[in-house]
Amino acid sequence: MISDYPRSLAILCQALQAHDEELSLDMADWLANHVDDLHLPAFLPDLARLEQLLVAVERLDVDLAPPADKIVLNPSLRIAQFDWQNLAPILAGRDEEGKPGEQLVLVWRQTNGAVRYKNAGPQDLLALKLVEENIDLAQAAREHQVTFAYLDRILERAEQEEYILVPATTIRRDPAVFKENDFTSKRYLSSSAFTLQWHITQACDLHCKHCYDRTSRKAVDFTQALTILDDFRSFCREHHVYGQVTFTGGNPLLYPRFSELYQAASERGFQLAILGNPTSREVLEELQAIQPLEFYQVSLEGLAEHNDHIRGAGHFQRIIEFLAILKELAIYSMVMLTLTRENQEQVLPLAEVLRNQVDLFNFNRLAMVGEGAQLLSAPTQGYEDFLRRYYTASLDNPCMGLKDNHLNALFAREGRSSFGGCTGYGCGAAFNFLSLLAEGEVHACRKFPSYMGNICENTLSEIYHSEAGERYRAGSAACDGCKIRAACGGCLAVTHGMGLDFFSEKDPYCFFS
């Protein structure tokens, strides 16, 4: 608003005009004619022009709605050249002196109505050039000898400041299936981010008793892997989302040339994370030097004795020691537990052990698939009580996260606000999340067979918009009409693992009605 920045010059101009109806000069021109005889700072006329431009931009009648299909310049944006520098910080109230010299200043109105202004730096001008001339980023990266990630960061900052406007994400739920209501608002109906969980290799240095898949799958070669990264980048740009690649396996670090693949993903502008096993400080430092990890997730299956029974002797202690390394390197750490009948009562004690050692502790319910079929799921009877005890404990333990979708059923019953559930959008299978297996198969979720296509044969966009993709996104018809559907949807993998039809039957742990 006009009141958000100094108005001394504009007020003086209005006062002069009010007392002299024949005054024909604007404020800047009047000041230019009187700078010397009034002993005013020489930069003052330019400062007045800048302030007049702010007022003019605020009064513009422009549509600032997101564009339909491509990035555009904010229609309120004005670029002005001045003969004096430091005008923007002076106008912001900082104790600066005007300096002779040409300066470009950007002035624009944001979607919330606020008028912004800033000195135009080289990166601002590059962002404007990329958008105005619709320059191909691959071409720009080559010409400027920079990475995609560098250009993405420039455009992302311009987008955040809103002097460029980008189309709304096209990752949206089907409004005929997922409806906004008093519990699951529209924030669950579209996503501005997309995760590709890439099981880059089947190779693993563990043999856990609940592994979803121990079959032999040949990993794509490095050249194919680069093609996949380029395809995912195209997918993200087509759908106007930020992309995250979460490398996993097996143990992703056992993929040949993993650090080179990590580098390539970084150069393409993705956020990067790892779901894996403990590794050395040296490996972590190498990855951090390329691009800091969003998080590194490891697994524990309960207290030491039970965990080592599932994952191998000494594994519990190795995880504890590894978490200490993650903390020293300031890498966000996560521990995941697969909930079973045997370890359910170890969840809260384990959370206490991890209280000051991990940033986030969560659990997923067992999907009785692959070798996991040999284990027993947690009992459905009493599950609501378990979730209530977990949530109560989490209020006093900052490392305990909320992930299981059925917590929203508990919250709805007790009048609490909803949270994002498993993927931030309830069941995100084939919505804001896809699993890519080692040889190229794309699944809606890694925890159960949910084949949608092969990325070596079709693009990710073609696979995402396939008939299979639509079916997995819709989830179970048994959830039709449920007011928490968009923040829940149960778990298709758990439903499948218990021998039910996940397209027509309800998650057996559901207690909401």
Side-chain angles (χ1 to χ4, degrees), residues 113 254 269 287 324:
L254 297 180
L287 298 179

Side-chain angles (χ1 to χ4, degrees), residues 208-212 301 310-311 338 340 366-367 369 371-372 375:
C208 305
K209 294 184 181 298
H210 61 349
C211 185
Y212 301 124
E301 306 309 331
I310 298 293
R311 291 189 170 265
T338 300
T340 67
L366 172 71
V369 174
E371 295 187 359
L375 303 181

Side-chain angles (χ1 to χ4, degrees), residues 162-178:
E162 293 188 344
Y163 61 84
I164 67 172
L165 300 178
V166 303
T169 173
T170 57
I171 298 297
R172 300 190 184 102
R173 295 196 188 276
D174 183 352
V177 177
F178 296 88

Side-chain angles (χ1 to χ4, degrees), residues 295-343:
F295 63 85
Y296 196 117
Q297 179 178 298
V298 292
S299 296
L300 286 174
E301 306 309 331
L303 299 174
E305 182 179 357
H306 179 74
N307 176 80
D308 289 1
H309 169 69
I310 298 293
R311 291 189 170 265
H315 178 266
F316 188 94
Q317 186 57 36
R318 288 198 299 276
I319 292 292
I320 297 299
E321 293 169 358
F322 183 63
L323 292 176
I325 296 174
L326 293 176
K327 179 175 290 189
E328 290 171 9
L329 296 178
I331 298 173
Y332 192 87
S333 60
M334 296 170 59
V335 167
M336 180 61 67
L337 174 142
T338 300
L339 188 70
T340 67
R341 188 179 299 265
E342 287 185 275
N343 69 11

Side-chain angles (χ1 to χ4, degrees), residues 347-369:
V347 171
L348 299 188
L350 177 61
E352 278 302 308
V353 172
L354 296 174
R355 175 183 284 267
N356 297 311
Q357 302 192 61
V358 69
D359 291 304
L360 187 64
F361 168 62
N362 271 319
F363 68 88
N364 270 325
R365 286 173 287 145
L366 172 71
M368 293 190 292
V369 174

Side-chain angles (χ1 to χ4, degrees), residues 183-218:
F183 188 78
T184 55
S185 67
K186 62 182 178 182
R187 71 179 182 273
Y188 299 117
L189 304 182
S190 64
S191 174
S192 60
F194 195 95
T195 297
L196 183 67
Q197 188 186 80
W198 194 353
H199 297 256
I200 189 63
T201 179
Q202 288 289 92
C204 190
D205 44 346
L206 298 176
H207 191 147
C208 305
K209 294 184 181 298
H210 61 349
C211 185
Y212 301 124
D213 185 1
R214 294 293 298 182
T215 60
S216 177
R217 295 177 184 269
K218 182 180 178 181

Side-chain angles (χ1 to χ4, degrees), residues 60-71:
L60 284 174
D61 182 15
V62 291
D63 182 6
L64 299 180
D69 56 4
K70 67 176 183 177
I71 301 174

Side-chain angles (χ1 to χ4, degrees), residues 166-293:
V166 303
T169 173
T170 57
I171 298 297
R172 300 190 184 102
R173 295 196 188 276
D174 183 352
V177 177
F178 296 88
K179 301 182 185 301
E180 182 179 353
N181 54 53
D182 60 348
F183 188 78
T184 55
S185 67
K186 62 182 178 182
R187 71 179 182 273
Y188 299 117
L189 304 182
S190 64
S191 174
S192 60
F194 195 95
T195 297
L196 183 67
Q197 188 186 80
W198 194 353
H199 297 256
I200 189 63
T201 179
Q202 288 289 92
C204 190
D205 44 346
L206 298 176
H207 191 147
C208 305
K209 294 184 181 298
H210 61 349
C211 185
Y212 301 124
D213 185 1
R214 294 293 298 182
T215 60
S216 177
R217 295 177 184 269
K218 182 180 178 181
V220 296
D221 62 30
F222 188 71
T223 300
Q224 288 175 303
L226 295 181
T227 300
I228 288 170
L229 288 176
D230 288 335
D231 183 44
F232 184 41
R233 179 178 170 80
S234 296
F235 175 90
C236 292
R237 291 186 63 78
E238 176 188 343
H239 294 86
H240 310 294
V241 291
Y242 300 107
Q244 175 173 301
V245 178
T246 300
F247 291 108
T248 185
N251 182 353
L253 298 175
L254 297 180
Y255 178 78
R257 304 173 68 180
F258 177 76
S259 62
E260 293 177 69
L261 184 62
Y262 187 91
Q263 172 84 47
S266 173
E267 290 172 350
R268 286 157 175 78
F270 299 122
Q271 294 181 328
L272 303 174
I274 289 177
L275 311 181
N277 301 334
T279 188
S280 68
R281 178 190 294 269
E282 291 71 27
V283 168
L284 292 174
E285 288 175 338
E286 178 185 4
L287 298 179
Q288 288 292 90
I290 297 171
Q291 177 176 316
L293 284 154

